Amino acid sequence: MTGKPAIDVISFGCRLNTFEAEIMKREAAAAGLGAADAIPAIIINTCAVTGEAVRQARQAVRRARRDNPSARIIVTGCAAQTEGDTFARMDEVDAVIGNDDKLKADSYRSLPDFGVSAEEKVRVNDIMSVRETAGHMVDAIEGRARAIVQVQNGCDHRCTFCIIPFGRGNSRSVPMGAAVAQVRRLVDAGYREVVLSGVDMTSWGADLPGAPRLGTLVQAILRHVPDLPRLRLSSIDSIEAGPALMDAIGTETRLMPHLHLSLQAGDNMILKRMKRRHSREDAIAFCVDMRSRRPDIVYGADIIAGFPTETDAMFENSLRLVDECGLTHLHVFPFSPRKGTPAARMPQLPKAVGKERAALLRARGEAAHAAHLARLVGTRQRILVEREGLGRAEDFTLADIAVGAPGEIVEAEIIGQTGERLVARPLMAAAA
């Protein structure tokens, strides 16, 4: 029998996992996994950032087995790296593959047989021993109008709440030439927008000869790939944004005016206990400075509610940060203790307090987002169509738009807003 390999990848978490899912599918197919005349395969690509993310992954495993009794179920990703034994003990799981090995065809050629012990299911290496990140080439990200390029992996920092370094390893960078070549290849394939992604992207280059900074990479991409209409950055750490990156954001119109900031809290004592590298004053100064250079810039941010020892006054500082930084797109998480991290050993707040504070933060963020939508009514925006009827402006704001194929950039007037997104009236299809 012949046909398309029966491989399904279910990804949780960040953009990097979405990018890696395409590589995994390609490498697994090259290894012959899920061939049409063999057993179908389901790969669960997990996230470990919160306990809820791990719970959702376990739930997905059980659902996959229930819906596909004969499939081979493989668990990988960050939670597989940090909690491999937990997944191996699940009867529904056939194999557990570590975060580094999931991107290699050989890992899918030597899977354990059905019915082996939990210990035999686990194929997880020492992620801290990994020293290189390959510049993987991807022809397409299925169902997405923009392409994601991984330029960095891992993290050298040890924030007290974060398990991710133990899932991703230490920071390592894709060489500049490989990253530029990959962006050029994607543009040649028809992509109009490329997103640079990484676990701690502003640390890019520290392990490369000469220790270049992220701003140098951004400027090189824009210079050497002149046909790229839109370059976007995923989450950055504002305290590590060097002069070249700030200059690029302020002057390069092809670099999109949207920054998602890893802020985590707005109180200095909590930031210290988190072992963050910035103060609330640093965060505010960065946002004010960048807005003075790029008035149309929009900020998103990650904020944790209910961190251990957080008082009402400390939480109020995080609430005020939304207005003081001018945040528009919030990712809010109630604190989730992760086993093995210092924060898990700190005096914990009741879960109800974290949930209540997260709800208050989300409400403040929703009000800020509504005000942002209202400000854009009557303006002209260039909308990248993501799927039929829906696209995003350059500042990453969602917009209803009636025309345009996925991947097309459409010039439009904003004639209204729904409370969740803009309503755009097309003016003309943009050529670039």
Side-chain angles (χ1 to χ4, degrees):
M1 297 176 62
T2 59
K4 185 177 180 180
I7 301 171
D8 188 19
V9 180
I10 302 171
S11 262
F12 293 88
C14 63
R15 283 193 181 106
L16 194 54
N17 256 12
T18 300
F19 166 83
E20 289 174 339
E22 291 303 308
I23 302 166
M24 292 159 56
K25 186 178 291 187
R26 182 188 70 193
E27 295 300 300
L33 190 69
D37 56 351
I39 302 168
I42 300 172
I43 303 174
I44 312 291
N45 192 22
T46 62
C47 173
V49 71
T50 64
E52 174 62 15
V54 178
R55 187 194 68 79
Q56 289 177 0
R58 291 198 301 265
Q59 188 178 54
V61 168
R62 295 188 184 100
R63 187 186 306 114
R65 175 59 72 210
R66 185 174 61 249
D67 296 342
N68 304 273
S70 64
R72 174 163 283 184
I73 295 179
I74 302 161
V75 178
T76 188
C78 290
Q81 185 71 41
T82 60
E83 302 183 35
D85 292 342
T86 298
F87 289 98
R89 287 193 295 269
M90 296 180 70
D91 292 338
E92 298 89 347
V93 173
D94 296 305
V96 180
I97 297 177
N99 236 346
D100 182 51
D101 289 331
K102 73 181 182 181
L103 304 177
K104 302 171 183 176
D106 284 347
S107 302
Y108 301 100
R109 290 192 179 99
S110 57
L111 294 175
D113 294 329
F114 289 109
V116 300
S117 68
E119 291 77 12
E120 292 174 289
K121 293 180 184 179
V122 180
R123 306 292 174 87
V124 177
N125 69 359
D126 176 10
I127 196 70
M128 294 301 177
S129 68
V130 179
R131 293 289 180 263
E132 295 181 356
T133 288
H136 299 284
M137 296 296 182
V138 179
D139 290 320
I141 304 295
E142 290 185 359
R144 291 180 178 259
R146 61 182 56 82
I148 302 169
V149 173
Q150 176 191 2
V151 298
Q152 184 274 341
N153 204 345
C155 184
D156 290 339
H157 306 302
R158 296 295 182 264
C159 297
T160 59
F161 57 85
C162 189
I163 196 71
I164 296 304
F166 303 98
R168 289 282 178 176
N170 292 318
S171 181
R172 49 210 190 272
S173 309
V174 173
M176 188 183 308
V180 171
Q182 185 170 352
V183 173
R184 185 183 298 113
R185 184 170 181 261
L186 289 164
V187 171
D188 290 343
Y191 281 98
R192 317 302 298 282
E193 180 174 310
V194 171
V195 182
L196 300 185
S197 186
V199 174
D200 180 33
M201 198 168 62
T202 31
S203 70
W204 178 89
D207 57 322
L208 297 177
R213 301 289 297 275
L214 179 62
T216 305
L217 173 63
V218 167
Q219 292 178 348
I221 290 170
L222 292 170
R223 181 169 63 254
H224 294 295
V225 194
D227 294 334
L228 171 65
R230 292 163 65 141
L231 180 65
R232 191 179 296 281
L233 304 178
S234 65
S235 179
I236 69 167
D237 201 336
S238 58
I239 199 67
E240 293 182 337
L245 180 59
M246 297 174 75
D247 287 346
I249 294 168
T251 61
E252 296 281 1
T253 58
R254 291 188 293 142
L255 184 58
M256 295 296 93
H258 169 255
L259 295 177
H260 190 83
L261 308 176
S262 179
L263 297 182
Q264 310 305 342
D267 179 82
N268 281 338
M269 181 55 71
I270 293 299
L271 288 167
K272 185 176 181 179
R273 289 171 180 164
M274 288 179 165
K275 207 174 178 181
R276 299 294 293 163
R277 294 161 301 287
H278 69 274
S279 66
R280 66 175 285 109
E281 292 77 17
D282 292 329
I284 294 167
F286 175 85
C287 291
V288 170
D289 182 13
M290 294 313 306
R291 184 165 279 122
S292 70
R293 303 185 192 207
R294 187 86 177 259
D296 60 340
I297 200 164
V298 169
Y299 301 115
D302 296 324
I303 301 183
I304 296 172
F307 187 81
T309 76
E310 183 184 68
T311 65
D312 288 342
M314 292 171 177
F315 172 67
E316 184 64 29
N317 282 333
S318 287
L319 270 180
R320 290 193 293 111
L321 195 72
V322 177
D323 297 327
E324 291 169 326
C325 284
L327 306 178
T328 301
H329 306 292
L330 290 191
H331 286 180
V332 176
F333 306 90
F335 174 74
S336 176
R338 307 300 290 122
K339 184 179 178 181
T341 62
R345 300 190 295 272
M346 296 178 184
Q348 305 293 304
L349 300 183
K351 287 185 177 180
V353 172
K355 289 182 178 179
E356 179 183 359
R357 290 177 179 174
L360 291 171
L361 267 171
R362 290 188 185 108
R364 183 68 62 91
E366 288 166 3
H369 187 249
H372 169 69
L373 293 176
R375 285 193 297 270
L376 291 181
V377 175
T379 65
R380 288 192 174 190
Q381 301 289 330
R382 290 161 61 83
I383 309 297
L384 176 73
V385 180
E386 290 189 335
R387 60 179 186 269
E388 185 176 352
L390 193 68
R392 287 192 187 268
E394 292 183 339
D395 66 8
F396 211 58
T397 306
L398 272 172
D400 290 327
I401 188 160
V403 304
E408 184 180 359
I409 297 175
V410 177
E411 195 85 26
E413 179 185 5
I414 306 305
I415 59 173
Q417 52 99 5
T418 68
E420 295 181 353
R421 51 188 180 266
L422 302 171
V423 179
R425 181 173 62 197
L427 297 174
M428 58 179 287

